[in-house]
Amino acid sequence: MDIFRSRKGIVLFILSFFVLKAELFAPLVWRPGEGWVDESTGTGLSASSSRDQLNLAKKFEEAKDYENALKAYRILIRKWPYAVFAPEAQFRIGQCLEKKGDFLGANKAYDRMIQKYPSSSFFEQALERKLAIGNLYLAGEPKRLFNIPMGSGLDIAAQIFESIIRAAPYGRFAPLAEFQLGLTYIKEKKYTDAIATFNRLIDKYPNHSLADDAQYEIGYTWYQASQASEYDQSSTEKAIEGFEDYIVRYPSGDKVEAAKAHIAELKSKSTLGSFHIAQFYERAKNFKAAYIYYSDVIKQNPTSDQAKIAQQKIVQLHPLVAKDLGLPSITSTSNTSPPSTPSPQAKGSP
């Protein structure tokens, strides 16, 4: 009898252990993008139809109970993935994550909405929210790890803008994404990428209201690049060309005066750059190159202070380089006119 009682006690212990274990460890399933999901009865979170499930989730969202709202929306997606209410549920998952400050998670949720339900009426709304999130990172929202700032989020902004363009290359948000992508590249100092992006916008959407702004930004991007070095004459020249193209193509544009101001500044910078290069070659006793760059100074801005000095230098250097450069005699060169300048080939190999 004692043995029987002992065995009965052991069996009861084992049964109670498994019952307790079942209660402690609810059926958890790993789902990409959701993590571990409790697939138990979900008391209070499940409804009998997709419509009721959506309404239930909305009530949680309206009450700002975003955790339960997310669970309820995800139950709808899981149980009724092809229901008419599924696209809205997926879109609202993104909205809830945005409200929680999880912008990367929200962007991924909108991506799933775009990929799974491309014919949905929420397609463009998802693109619009992605554009807003991209602008947030462009404006300075950092990368975060456990909500701790971990550096610039500009690369995230670029990825988001690129994904919008891929999803709907001729949709109404694509030109906006192209323009913002160009601005992102400028901030990252990726000037070549920025210029290519603005040119692509002009080529693809020539009649869009942003086309003139893109043309201005081409000049401004080269302007930014030219600031990196006083001797970067090529970027300065391209910046001037970009601004001049803007003025010619969009004479009524709202940035014409700004473009003119930049052109004046750049021409002054170009003159100063040529002047300093001429001085460098003169100190190095490369008189031929010095003569060529002093001539450039006079041609670029004949009324500048540098041009007055350059004119004097031209007179001094003329006897030393006249034979090599095939110049006329000094008596035929007017003091008020720019001197003869050799061909570009001569300038390129002083």
Side-chain angles (χ1 to χ4, degrees):
M1 184 66 68
D2 290 339
I3 294 174
F4 175 76
R5 288 177 179 173
S6 175
R7 288 178 178 175
K8 185 177 180 180
I10 292 170
V11 170
L12 288 173
F13 174 77
I14 293 172
L15 288 174
S16 63
F17 172 78
F18 282 108
V19 169
L20 180 62
K21 183 178 180 181
E23 292 176 353
L24 288 175
F25 300 97
L28 299 177
V29 175
W30 173 263
R31 294 191 178 278
E34 298 182 31
W36 290 102
V37 178
D38 181 358
E39 289 201 333
S40 58
T41 56
T43 305
L45 293 177
S46 293
S48 57
S49 70
S50 60
R51 181 190 296 275
D52 291 341
Q53 186 70 37
L54 182 69
N55 290 333
L56 176 63
K58 282 182 177 180
K59 287 180 182 178
F60 284 121
E61 185 179 355
E62 289 166 4
K64 298 184 179 180
D65 184 354
Y66 300 124
E67 288 297 335
N68 279 325
L70 285 167
K71 290 177 182 177
Y73 284 130
R74 284 167 176 158
I75 287 173
L76 191 159
I77 297 294
R78 189 161 58 247
K79 291 176 69 175
W80 299 282
Y82 304 108
V84 68
F85 303 108
E88 182 176 357
Q90 183 62 56
F91 176 76
R92 287 181 174 275
I93 287 171
Q95 284 191 311
C96 287
L97 290 169
E98 267 196 90
K99 290 169 183 174
K100 289 182 63 182
D102 183 359
F103 303 116
L104 281 182
N107 181 62
K108 290 178 181 177
Y110 294 134
D111 277 338
R112 282 194 289 275
M113 159 58 236
I114 290 165
Q115 292 159 10
K116 291 176 67 175
Y117 310 105
S119 300
S120 163
S121 60
F122 290 92
F123 182 85
E124 285 209 343
Q125 291 184 57
L127 289 174
E128 187 173 18
R129 292 316 310 157
K130 281 174 63 64
L131 185 66
I133 293 171
N135 287 337
L136 198 64
Y137 282 104
L138 175 58
E141 175 65 24
K143 294 177 183 176
R144 295 181 183 274
L145 182 63
F146 302 114
N147 211 31
I148 300 171
M150 300 295 288
S152 170
L154 288 174
D155 59 330
I156 296 174
Q159 291 166 15
I160 292 173
F161 295 136
E162 287 168 352
S163 69
I164 293 170
I165 297 163
R166 283 195 304 271
Y170 289 96
R172 68 187 181 98
F173 293 108
L176 297 170
E178 289 274 20
F179 190 79
Q180 298 303 85
L181 178 60
L183 296 182
T184 304
Y185 285 143
I186 292 177
K187 280 195 171 185
E188 291 183 298
K189 301 188 187 309
K190 296 179 178 179
Y191 300 125
T192 303
D193 290 337
I195 290 163
T197 302
F198 292 129
N199 274 319
R200 187 168 62 233
L201 191 159
I202 294 168
D203 291 342
K204 287 171 68 177
Y205 322 102
N207 299 318
H208 194 275
S209 60
L210 284 172
D212 61 331
D213 292 312
Q215 181 60 58
Y216 176 86
E217 290 298 335
I218 289 171
Y220 187 74
T221 303
W222 282 119
Y223 172 82
Q224 292 283 85
S226 74
Q227 303 305 300
S229 172
E230 183 180 354
Y231 298 96
D232 186 2
Q233 297 292 89
S234 62
S235 293
T236 300
E237 290 168 4
K238 288 176 181 176
I240 293 171
E241 288 174 11
F243 287 128
E244 287 176 340
D245 285 347
Y246 172 79
I247 293 169
V248 170
R249 297 177 67 175
Y250 308 100
S252 301
D254 60 356
K255 296 183 177 67
V256 167
E257 292 306 315
K260 288 179 179 178
H262 283 312
I263 288 171
E265 178 191 349
L266 288 162
K267 284 185 175 179
S268 175
K269 178 180 184 292
S270 180
T271 301
L272 189 60
S274 293
F275 184 77
H276 287 164
I277 294 171
Q279 287 181 315
F280 168 79
Y281 281 126
E282 186 182 5
R283 286 194 297 269
K285 299 189 184 303
N286 188 338
F287 300 124
K288 185 170 69 171
Y291 184 95
I292 292 169
Y293 277 98
Y294 281 130
S295 300
D296 276 351
V297 170
I298 298 168
K299 285 186 175 182
Q300 289 165 4
N301 198 345
T303 61
S304 66
D305 292 339
Q306 290 81 19
K308 294 175 184 177
I309 298 171
Q311 187 67 56
Q312 296 171 5
K313 294 290 186 180
I314 288 295
V315 174
Q316 295 171 13
L317 294 173
H318 188 279
L320 303 175
V321 300
K323 183 178 179 180
D324 287 343
L325 297 179
L327 301 176
S329 64
I330 191 67
T331 56
S332 66
T333 304
S334 169
N335 288 334
T336 59
S337 302
S340 300
T341 306
S343 66
Q345 287 82 359
K347 182 177 176 179
S349 54

